[in-house]
Amino acid sequence: MDTLDRKAEEPYEPYAALGLGGPRDTPFVKYKHPRIDNVWALTLTAVLFILLYSAQDVVPVIRLPHDVGSPALPAAEFDWYALETSKEVNWTSCYDGHLCARLLLPLDYLSSDADGPTTAIALRMIPAPSRGTADYRGTVLVNPGGPGGSGTNLVERAGANISRIVGHSFDVLGFDPRGTGASTPRVECFASPGERDIWKTQVGHQFLNASDHTLGIYRAREQVVAAKCEQAIGGELGIARFMSTASVATDMVKITEELGQEKLHYWGFSYGSILGQYFAAMYPDKVARVIIDGVYDGDNYRGALWNSNLADMEAVMDSLFSYCHQAGPLRCALYESTPDKIRDRYFRVLDRLARNPVAVPLAEPPAVLTRKALITQLFASSYKPLASYGTVVDTIRAIETRNQTTLTALARKIVDPTECSCSSGVLPWLAENDAFNAIACGDGEEHPYDPEYYAKYYDALVKDSPHGGPIWAVHYLQCAEWRVRPQWRYTGPLAAADTAHPLLLISPRYDPVCPLRDALAVRERYPGAGLLVQNSHGHCSLSAPSLCTAKHVRAYMEDGTLPEEGTVCEADELPFVGSVSDVRALSVDERELLEAMRGLSAVVPMFGGL
């Protein structure tokens, strides 16, 4: 069967008012996941002081940190690598009221050697205000996406707001999946951040096109990265061979067990939705509360296809022009009498740049603004319109008026800066990594490059999104050239007929890279799962503040309550327009929830992490 073929979809009645459609006959397979024998056992040493029972779950035992009273180091001084590693979770006070640990887990879950190689998984937790009381419900693990995003960094930037949303009954724990962030060993193919930056500059100022010379350039670049990674991290015990999503899902089992929990509480974004699908399929009996937010079709992911993502990309990009028009001339500097006229104005500037790029000599470092740079800027801003659309408008207006002062200030938000320095000043656990290839391509089916197939593939992507397709089409090449295969990858059905508790899926109506149709397809494979649609533009629910969404998340986490079939939540704040809700009518708790959602709009997961 041609994998480029698209299955016809019937209208999905509960969401008919939004014009949504979805598959109604996607099969699921009930199966028993084979047990993994000889897995290294973790020893729990916590003091058991209370077990509280709900209808579904046992409230976990709490292990207190060994030095929780010691002063925490400032973020810039905290050294993850100096933190002791252990085969049990030994918390240390860190940052400002947080707890950190490095948990040793087996590198190879298929190995029978209990004393074999390990990986140190970095954990960072915000303790629940209710710890030690009858209200305490346990720990929620969070994943920011990527693949390759740092969960510990997500807690740094968004943990307090996530904690407010899930409620005071839960700890919030971010972990760095094996090979990423502060977990060691790290997946690094380049000798230094400077070497990586220099390498990125060589891609040039033209988009990938399957029908001209750029294809050869982009493909050769992926061959270079694949060869470097194979040499650096692809050996017998190289970390790239042990980063499969199956291994990370099993790591989550071990982490929850170490915390004294029988089942998983989880909120995963973007690629985190893939991790959630794997977990629910592999360990359906260990699902307590699992939210997958910004849902990518796991079957498409595991096929290493990356061709279902852009169905709504153009609609999200075009929303910039609609919101600008709705906001009016006082709030949007590109205002015209219709959204189409604003769109034409935007692309007139881009067409001029195609012929005459704009030099910004006083920027640090100096920059040249090209059509590719501005399309890439719009592509990235589609992930978080509320936080980023203003910068797009400021950029276009500055080019129109030849305002070099503004362009100088904006340059770093338009063109990725490159700095040639022996010491980048970036903490190693925050540095860019090569996790996408190791995880996504390792999880995927092997598909050697085929020029005829790729030409059709590229055309189909560009048909879905003329502006996003040339950017997204590189991911197929990444996996086509990738050489390192994982020691273990899960190949069973990404489905489960009987999870211990139903999953909750959350999807914006228009998500640039995880379209609603993917969420509808995934929901069919997990019978009983709930689907919450947020009527907004952007990546994951975080991209648009919605009190309605926050309330449903809180209800699901605290009581296990799913939204009614067909539930659609509206956004409370829109790009350029601002607030569209009456805050005065809200209770104190509702205001706190809405402010927490607003705080998350700037930390929307980006491709490859945050």
Side-chain angles (χ1 to χ4, degrees):
M1 177 181 290
D2 185 353
T3 55
L4 291 176
D5 288 345
R6 302 280 172 80
K7 181 179 178 181
E9 297 177 346
E10 302 174 12
Y12 195 43
E13 285 302 322
Y15 304 96
L18 287 178
L20 309 186
R24 302 292 294 157
D25 58 353
T26 306
F28 62 87
V29 179
K30 183 176 181 180
Y31 73 100
K32 184 175 181 181
H33 176 67
R35 298 294 177 187
I36 302 171
D37 296 327
N38 299 316
V39 176
W40 168 64
L42 297 175
T43 303
L44 298 178
T45 61
V47 177
L48 307 180
F49 63 91
I50 286 179
L51 285 179
L52 299 173
Y53 292 89
S54 67
Q56 297 280 341
D57 310 302
V58 178
V59 174
V61 177
I62 306 171
R63 171 179 288 124
L64 295 176
H66 66 275
D67 62 347
V68 73
S70 63
L73 290 172
E77 297 178 20
F78 185 79
D79 185 352
W80 276 100
Y81 295 163
L83 194 61
E84 179 185 3
T85 60
S86 173
K87 290 187 176 182
E88 57 186 37
V89 177
N90 290 323
W91 292 117
T92 295
S93 295
C94 59
Y95 301 101
D96 185 12
H98 294 189
L99 303 175
C100 294
R102 297 179 72 202
L103 176 64
L104 289 175
L105 293 176
L107 186 68
D108 182 4
Y109 278 114
L110 300 186
S111 173
S112 59
D113 184 1
D115 296 318
T118 58
T119 174
I121 305 299
L123 311 175
R124 178 172 176 177
M125 185 173 74
I126 299 178
S130 65
R131 258 182 174 258
T133 74
D135 291 334
Y136 180 68
R137 287 180 169 90
T139 304
V140 180
L141 274 62
V142 294
N143 180 278
S150 165
T152 60
N153 185 246
L154 178 65
V155 168
E156 166 76 27
R157 308 199 312 149
N161 286 322
I162 292 174
S163 180
R164 293 185 185 102
I165 293 165
V166 299
H168 74 280
S169 301
F170 295 97
D171 311 311
V172 173
L173 186 152
F175 69 101
D176 292 343
R178 46 179 58 210
T180 72
S183 293
T184 54
R186 273 177 54 89
V187 55
E188 292 176 312
C189 303
F190 289 83
S192 67
E195 182 182 80
R196 184 190 300 277
D197 282 348
I198 293 169
W199 168 249
K200 288 192 296 186
T201 65
Q202 297 180 23
V203 71
H205 296 290
Q206 291 182 280
F207 280 120
L208 167 62
N209 190 318
S211 60
D212 65 21
H213 70 283
T214 58
L215 174 58
I217 294 172
Y218 276 84
R219 187 179 172 215
R221 287 179 60 79
E222 295 309 325
Q223 290 170 343
V224 167
V225 172
K228 282 183 66 67
C229 290
E230 183 179 29
Q231 181 182 44
I233 55 174
E236 181 180 357
L237 293 177
I239 186 62
R241 299 189 66 240
F242 302 96
M243 292 178 63
S244 71
T245 299
S247 293
V248 178
T250 306
D251 290 343
M252 291 203 295
V253 172
K254 300 304 177 184
I255 292 169
T256 56
E257 289 176 352
E258 263 296 305
L259 296 172
Q261 296 180 190
E262 293 183 357
K263 299 174 185 177
L264 175 72
H265 299 104
Y266 175 75
W267 192 355
F269 306 94
S270 194
Y271 161 77
S273 77
I274 297 292
L275 180 55
Q277 291 170 60
Y278 270 73
F279 186 94
M282 295 172 63
Y283 304 105
D285 58 323
K286 293 187 177 296
V287 172
R289 305 283 187 267
V290 169
I291 303 174
I292 56 176
D293 190 334
V295 184
Y296 178 26
D297 184 343
D299 285 350
N300 191 279
Y301 166 83
R302 195 165 56 181
L305 298 174
W306 298 90
N307 66 348
S308 72
N309 306 86
L310 303 185
D312 294 327
M313 171 60 78
E314 294 297 313
V316 180
M317 286 183 170
D318 281 347
S319 72
L320 183 151
F321 314 120
S322 298
Y323 286 129
C324 179
H325 179 260
Q326 183 180 346
L330 296 182
R331 295 186 177 182
C332 182
L334 295 184
Y335 175 82
E336 298 286 349
S337 58
T338 68
D340 284 344
K341 289 183 178 179
I342 300 172
R343 189 181 194 279
D344 290 344
R345 180 175 175 180
Y346 173 86
F347 281 103
R348 278 199 302 272
V349 171
L350 265 65
D351 290 342
R352 288 203 299 271
L353 257 63
R355 299 186 298 272
N356 298 294
V358 172
V360 190
L362 299 183
E364 296 182 0
V368 173
L369 306 187
T370 64
R371 190 179 194 278
K372 178 185 175 183
L374 265 64
I375 288 290
T376 302
Q377 180 195 46
L378 180 59
F379 180 92
S381 70
S382 71
Y383 281 62
K384 43 185 180 180
L386 190 64
S388 299
Y389 274 180
T391 300
V392 174
V393 166
D394 290 343
T395 300
I396 297 298
R397 185 60 183 147
I399 293 173
E400 286 181 331
T401 58
R402 301 180 181 181
N403 188 329
Q404 277 289 329
T405 300
T406 299
L407 290 177
T408 297
L410 291 174
R412 282 176 171 263
K413 296 182 178 181
I414 307 170
V415 180
D416 285 338
T418 299
E419 298 180 25
C420 186
S421 173
C422 295
S423 176
S424 66
V426 177
L427 295 171
W429 40 88
L430 297 179
E432 189 176 346
N433 59 47
D434 300 283
F436 173 85
N437 294 41
I439 300 172
C441 301
D443 281 339
E445 303 291 344
E446 293 184 87
H447 55 77
Y449 176 73
D450 179 290
E452 184 177 348
Y453 177 85
Y454 187 71
K456 295 178 181 178
Y457 173 91
Y458 180 90
D459 288 345
L461 271 186
V462 173
K463 183 177 180 180
D464 268 352
S465 176
H467 302 104
I471 297 172
W472 204 253
V474 73
H475 302 316
Y476 187 94
L477 294 179
Q478 285 177 283
C479 293
E481 302 299 338
W482 186 248
R483 303 177 182 181
V484 182
R485 300 305 296 167
Q487 175 77 354
W488 174 41
R489 59 187 290 265
Y490 174 70
T491 58
L494 286 172
D498 54 356
T499 53
H501 192 82
L503 279 60
L504 172 60
L505 283 65
I506 304 178
S507 177
R509 172 63 185 93
Y510 297 101
D511 189 305
V513 292
C514 291
L516 179 55
R517 72 180 186 189
D518 277 19
L520 290 165
V522 171
R523 199 269 289 268
E524 294 293 317
R525 299 174 197 145
Y526 296 87
L531 173 62
L532 176 65
V533 176
Q534 182 171 287
N535 192 23
S536 61
H537 296 81
H539 189 33
C540 305
S541 66
L542 310 184
S543 58
S546 170
L547 176 60
C548 171
T549 297
K551 286 183 173 181
H552 280 293
V553 169
R554 172 79 65 84
Y556 176 75
M557 292 303 305
E558 291 190 342
D559 305 318
T561 305
L562 293 171
E564 293 184 6
E565 183 71 5
T567 297
V568 176
C569 283
E570 297 296 329
D572 289 291
E573 188 170 350
L574 304 176
F576 305 119
V577 177
S579 177
V580 292
S581 60
D582 185 2
V583 179
R584 295 170 300 179
L586 303 180
S587 68
V588 173
D589 186 58
E590 287 174 329
R591 291 184 185 184
E592 182 177 289
L593 278 176
L594 182 54
E595 283 306 308
M597 291 297 285
R598 283 175 172 152
L600 293 176
S601 63
V603 294
V604 175
M606 300 297 288
F607 189 77
L610 283 175

